[in-house]
Amino acid sequence: MSVSVVIPCYRSARTLPALVARLMPVLAGLSVRHEVILVVDGSPDDTWETAVELARGTDGVRALHMSRNYGQHNALIAGIREAEFEVVVTMDDDLQHPPEQIPLMLAALEGDRLDLVYGVAHQEEHGFLRSVASQSVKAGMAGALGVQAARTISAFRAFRTRLRDGFEGLSGPHVCIDVALSWATTRVGSVKVHMMERDHGRSNYTPRLLVRHAVNMLLGYSTAPLRAASYLGFLIGVVGLVLGVTVLWRFAVGDTTVAGFTTVASMIAIFSSAQLISIGVLGEYVGRIHGGGMGRPTYVVSERAGPLAALDFPRRPGGAGVPMRAGVGSGSDER
């Protein structure tokens, strides 16, 4: 089995040398063909210069430079489409995912039972708020998006490269690699791995950004909000019907007390709220349709370093050097 390791990089100039220094012996010890693809996602520090030095000084390392910050999942899509070998491993750039754990994940892929394996931490490595936000995102993926094994999802993945054929046409500003992988296979497993604490800096995924990511996934890959708006309208209709029947009944039995202003105002507020919520949900979908029709790319590679760097066009998955049409959509500015 040959392996391509894809690493999205952002503000990681200090950690990349140590990561690559630990990663290359692990891959060499597997005695398989391998490569490492460093995708620098428009990082404002010296991450690109560091990645270029590593690509020029280390056999099997390549570097891609996004023309701006598109977001972690967009950077992953770019690296996955560049992968040359049978299995893709994705991992973070901050040394929280130990390279020494990669053989465990590859061993789980041996045979034909699984197509995708996630590395799950023995113990949660994040704080309370971050953990709650992360678990909420995973619960939403399981419920609204129908992603199997959503609660075991992590950024430490190993999957068969052929799965990318299932999302070759994926484009847009809010791509999610885990949802895309769920389109291609249901043979998903997980292995327990040891995660490490960050040596430098802090995670770019704050609870606020995780919530925003969850909203993007929900609106970008599911019609659940539209159904929820319909259910809300139905519920409000039932409430209005009950109120109407109550008023008629009280009139029929002789209780002709005129309803006060508060009752009328409350009913108007309830129905107005239902309408505004429904219109807002529809507006989000229309806005995303408009954004997809603008023709902006999902990502743009501005520079390459390392093997195959001379190629100045994207390559079709599975066939190096074959031009392919760039994806359509706009990129996200967040990590």
Side-chain angles (χ1 to χ4, degrees):
M1 148 185 327
S2 53
V3 181
S4 297
V5 180
V6 177
I7 306 174
C9 307
Y10 188 81
R11 295 185 183 274
S12 52
R14 298 177 62 182
T15 57
L16 278 184
L19 174 59
V20 172
R22 290 172 55 183
L23 180 59
M24 299 310 291
V26 171
L27 296 176
L30 294 173
S31 300
V32 298
R33 292 188 300 162
H34 58 268
E35 65 177 350
V36 176
I37 304 174
L38 306 175
V39 186
V40 181
D41 188 25
S43 182
D45 62 357
D46 297 330
T47 300
W48 171 242
E49 288 73 14
T50 302
V52 169
E53 292 179 6
L54 292 170
R56 291 175 178 172
T58 310
D59 290 337
V61 176
R62 287 194 278 149
L64 304 179
H65 192 199
M66 301 292 98
S67 63
R68 48 162 284 190
N69 175 240
Y70 288 97
Q72 184 183 42
H73 287 255
N74 297 61
L76 279 171
I77 292 292
I80 290 167
R81 287 176 174 166
E82 293 279 333
E84 295 291 318
F85 295 138
E86 298 173 288
V87 172
V88 172
V89 174
T90 68
M91 60 190 305
D92 287 345
D93 57 352
D94 54 10
L95 291 173
Q96 284 189 288
H97 299 157
E100 295 79 13
Q101 302 293 298
I102 290 178
L104 293 177
M105 300 171 65
L106 297 180
L109 278 181
E110 291 288 350
D112 297 325
R113 192 175 68 86
L114 297 176
D115 291 327
L116 167 63
V117 174
Y118 287 103
V120 181
H122 283 284
Q123 284 187 318
E124 180 60 57
E125 70 272 19
H126 302 296
F128 175 76
L129 289 178
R130 168 68 189 275
S131 298
V132 170
S134 178
Q135 292 301 321
S136 298
V137 171
K138 293 176 181 179
M141 294 179 68
L145 305 181
V147 177
Q148 292 193 5
R151 297 188 183 277
T152 63
I153 283 176
S154 78
F156 203 11
R157 316 170 185 84
F159 60 91
R160 304 187 192 279
T161 307
R162 59 179 169 78
L163 296 186
R164 68 184 173 189
D165 293 342
F167 51 90
E168 182 176 356
L170 180 66
S171 62
H174 306 298
V175 295
C176 176
I177 184 61
D178 297 302
V179 176
L181 287 170
S182 75
W183 297 344
T185 185
T186 57
R187 300 193 298 179
V188 182
S190 63
V191 295
K192 292 287 187 179
V193 297
H194 294 284
M195 299 292 191
M196 308 297 292
E197 295 289 339
R198 291 176 64 98
D199 289 334
H200 305 287
R202 61 179 183 177
S203 174
N204 294 294
Y205 264 126
T206 62
R208 180 180 64 85
L209 289 182
L210 276 172
V211 171
R212 181 178 296 180
H213 179 56
V215 172
N216 287 336
M217 287 193 302
L218 192 62
L219 295 178
Y221 296 95
S222 172
T223 59
L226 292 174
R227 291 195 301 270
S230 299
Y231 296 152
L232 177 62
F234 177 78
L235 178 62
I236 296 298
V238 171
V239 172
L241 180 62
V242 171
L243 289 175
V245 170
T246 301
V247 171
L248 290 176
W249 172 256
R250 295 180 66 178
F251 177 79
V253 298
D255 187 358
T256 57
T257 301
V258 178
F261 171 79
T262 303
T263 303
V264 176
S266 299
M267 292 179 62
I268 292 175
I270 290 173
F271 288 111
S272 298
S273 175
Q275 291 175 337
L276 289 174
I277 290 173
S278 301
I279 292 173
V281 172
L282 289 173
E284 285 287 339
Y285 279 91
V286 172
R288 288 167 185 269
I289 293 172
H290 171 68
M294 293 174 65
R296 295 171 62 184
T298 303
Y299 60 86
V300 174
V301 178
S302 62
E303 298 178 76
R304 286 184 170 86
L308 302 177
L311 296 177
D312 58 356
F313 48 78
R315 289 171 290 115
R316 186 180 303 278
V322 180
M324 64 178 288
R325 183 174 64 85
V328 176
S330 62
S332 172
D333 288 323
E334 66 191 56
R335 282 285 288 170

